[in-house]
Amino acid sequence: MVVEAPTGVFYHQQYGGHACRQGQVEGFLVPVFGPDALDSRRQPFEEEFAGGGTWNYSWADDERRKLRGIIETIRYWAFDGHTEELHALRLGESRIRDADESWIPVITPDGPGMLLWANSD
């Protein structure tokens, strides 16, 4: 995942399944841990949305709840200068309309970010 910050480093990503959307986010890369999360986060986009992307999709409450639950299974290590602590990611609810396959807005202890993974197509 990429935590958004003014680093001068930009990450480019093709996302949205067969829609082949192109995204860019500036920030720093952080590995995250969620051994079962990859399959569960791919499932709604590849099966329920049939790989067609979710451009400006209006998420139903139950779909949003499911996506929120998937994102919360992913762990993020944060360091405050003294101690390291494991935190769950949170879905970036204010940017839910940007959520698509392999491009999910999240909130981390270090600020907003974008959860990325390999696009299915």
Side-chain angles (χ1 to χ4, degrees):
M1 68 147 299
V2 177
V3 176
E4 296 171 28
T7 62
V9 177
F10 292 84
Y11 294 86
H12 298 268
Q13 172 82 354
Q14 178 179 312
Y15 67 99
H18 303 298
C20 296
R21 296 174 66 186
Q22 303 296 315
Q24 173 179 288
V25 61
E26 180 183 14
F28 55 93
L29 189 65
V30 176
V32 291
F33 181 72
D36 299 322
L38 180 58
D39 288 340
S40 64
R41 72 179 175 235
R42 290 175 62 174
Q43 187 272 334
F45 299 101
E46 292 178 21
E47 294 177 20
E48 293 172 25
F49 298 118
T54 56
W55 177 266
N56 286 323
Y57 183 73
S58 293
W59 293 80
D61 289 342
D62 61 324
E63 293 170 328
R64 185 185 295 230
R65 190 172 25 261
K66 181 178 180 180
L67 184 59
R68 187 182 306 121
I70 292 167
I71 299 307
E72 290 171 355
T73 67
I74 301 169
R75 300 296 180 244
Y76 178 98
W77 281 102
F79 180 66
D80 66 5
H82 302 287
T83 59
E84 294 178 6
E85 195 171 338
L86 197 57
H87 297 267
L89 291 181
R90 292 188 346 234
L91 180 62
E93 302 277 348
S94 67
R95 300 185 300 165
I96 188 72
R97 292 183 70 78
D98 294 333
D100 210 332
E101 182 212 14
S102 71
W103 187 264
I104 306 288
V106 295
I107 303 297
T108 78
D110 294 322
M114 199 61 71
L115 181 63
L116 312 172
W117 66 92
N119 188 23
S120 67
D121 91 323

